[in-house]
Amino acid sequence: MPNSPDILRMRVLLCFLKKDESCTVMGISRTLKEAKQNVSRAMIALERDGLLNRSNPRCPVLTERGERQAKHYAERIEITLNHLLYEGVDVENARQDAFLWALYCSEKTMETIRATEERYRVKYELRDQAQFGGMQLCRLLKNGSYRFPFLIYREQVKNGTNISMANGGFEHPCTLYVDDGEGWIQLRSRSISAKSASSGRLLSGRAQSLQYFDSGRFIDAEVSGNVFSFPAEALHFVNMGTGAGQILHGSCSVKIGCSAGLIHMPESTAIFTMLI
């Protein structure tokens, strides 16, 4: 594997996580198939950075900070390697690129990759369940926020489509927040414009209310500014497809009210559908 000095230092650092007695210049040189002088320079650099204690040349050990750094890199490599392999990258290139990603990838990008890997894991665990509830999904997900595409459908086809006008009244994607097995869907409303069917005038409006159907009745969603929240347990999921084509299709009935100027336009019942 071609190494930059930074990547070689990281690979040397990771050797110490294995608690192998051969973590000497000679031993690491054999393990990594690298020239001894290159490994020696890498270890000197790690010691200079406070990551390696070489007071005993026969038995160098990681400092506390060095162990934290090594575990940080190891977690990143595992996550990115699994991600790249799932996406179809061959093993050799996936391994090489996992080192590059672990070292240079921003934390924001890593958060996205972790969330993606978490979705893959949960979809795999649910692969044999034809139907399940939103609460079951959230109990499998780790705490955090997840971004998912969604659509809002009319119950009936109109003008050749069953996509509700309300679909354009919210920012896409939606956010699922999970905390200790409980989840909340958050939708952020935005202004939309459409011509009046009666006057032809262009009207602009924003969603003013949202109700979700649960336990046999419609319930008001929580509202904070222009953000509507409702519990993920209101969603009913259907498992569609297999393997890379697997989709978790979660839906619930909603009612959305919108105001345009002085006119209040209640939305007929629609279907909110989140796709994983």
Side-chain angles (χ1 to χ4, degrees), residues 15-124:
C15 286
F16 286 89
L17 278 184
K18 301 175 182 178
K19 308 296 183 184
D20 197 326
E21 293 181 359
S22 62
C23 282
T24 59
V25 171
M26 181 71 74
I28 293 175
S29 175
R30 285 197 298 263
T31 298
L32 300 184
K33 297 181 174 58
E34 286 288 337
K36 287 187 292 182
Q37 60 267 30
N38 293 340
V39 172
S40 179
R41 281 196 291 267
M43 292 176 71
I44 291 171
L46 292 171
E47 182 181 31
R48 183 182 63 240
D49 292 341
L51 303 176
L52 189 64
N53 182 346
R54 300 180 71 212
S55 56
N56 181 352
R58 294 180 178 272
C59 188
V61 294
L62 293 177
T63 63
E64 185 176 334
R65 179 171 160 232
E67 185 162 353
R68 286 198 305 271
Q69 190 70 59
K71 289 178 178 178
H72 169 77
Y73 288 139
E75 186 264 349
R76 281 178 156 228
I77 289 169
E78 181 182 8
I79 291 291
T80 53
L81 179 58
N82 289 338
H83 179 74
L84 292 169
L85 290 174
Y86 184 90
E87 294 295 342
V89 179
D90 65 89
V91 174
E92 182 178 352
N93 281 307
R95 284 177 176 164
Q96 291 187 23
D97 290 342
F99 282 103
L100 290 168
W101 285 30
L103 190 61
Y104 300 120
C105 197
S106 70
E107 187 55 33
K108 188 67 176 178
T109 299
M110 284 303 304
E111 287 176 9
T112 301
I113 295 170
R114 290 187 188 101
T116 300
E117 283 303 296
E118 184 67 1
R119 291 197 293 270
Y120 291 161
R121 180 188 65 79
V122 168
K123 287 169 73 172
Y124 181 79

Side-chain angles (χ1 to χ4, degrees), residues 106-272:
S106 70
E107 187 55 33
K108 188 67 176 178
T109 299
M110 284 303 304
E111 287 176 9
T112 301
I113 295 170
R114 290 187 188 101
T116 300
E117 283 303 296
E118 184 67 1
R119 291 197 293 270
Y120 291 161
R121 180 188 65 79
V122 168
K123 287 169 73 172
Y124 181 79
E125 290 194 23
L126 292 167
R127 67 194 182 282
D128 295 326
Q129 297 199 38
Q131 300 183 35
F132 55 91
M135 181 176 290
Q136 185 175 356
L137 171 74
C138 294
R139 285 174 177 169
L140 290 174
L141 285 167
K142 294 178 181 177
N143 290 352
S145 63
Y146 303 86
R147 305 276 280 172
F148 295 118
F150 71 91
L151 288 168
I152 300 177
Y153 296 99
R154 293 191 189 98
E155 288 189 309
Q156 305 294 330
V157 175
K158 183 179 179 181
N159 298 325
T161 181
N162 65 340
I163 301 296
S164 170
M165 184 180 294
N167 188 67
F170 298 94
E171 294 181 6
H172 291 246
C174 66
T175 302
L176 169 63
Y177 288 97
V178 177
D179 184 27
D180 292 337
E182 295 186 356
W184 286 83
I185 306 295
Q186 286 198 347
L187 292 169
R188 187 178 299 274
S189 68
R190 66 185 186 90
S191 181
I192 55 173
S193 299
K195 285 187 177 180
S196 168
S198 58
S199 67
R201 288 193 309 143
L202 187 66
L203 299 175
S204 296
R206 182 186 292 272
Q208 300 294 318
S209 64
L210 185 148
Q211 294 181 315
Y212 63 95
F213 190 78
D214 192 24
S215 303
R217 63 193 178 96
F218 281 96
I219 304 169
D220 290 333
E222 293 188 7
V223 185
S224 176
N226 66 333
V227 177
F228 297 88
S229 303
F230 62 93
E233 64 182 280
L235 296 178
H236 174 76
F237 280 87
V238 176
N239 205 335
M240 304 170 65
T242 58
Q246 181 188 11
I247 297 175
L248 305 182
H249 185 285
S251 60
C252 73
S253 295
V254 294
K255 287 184 179 180
I256 301 165
C258 177
S259 293
L262 299 176
I263 304 172
H264 183 70
M265 299 174 290
E267 176 81 15
S268 58
T269 304
I271 309 297
F272 170 84

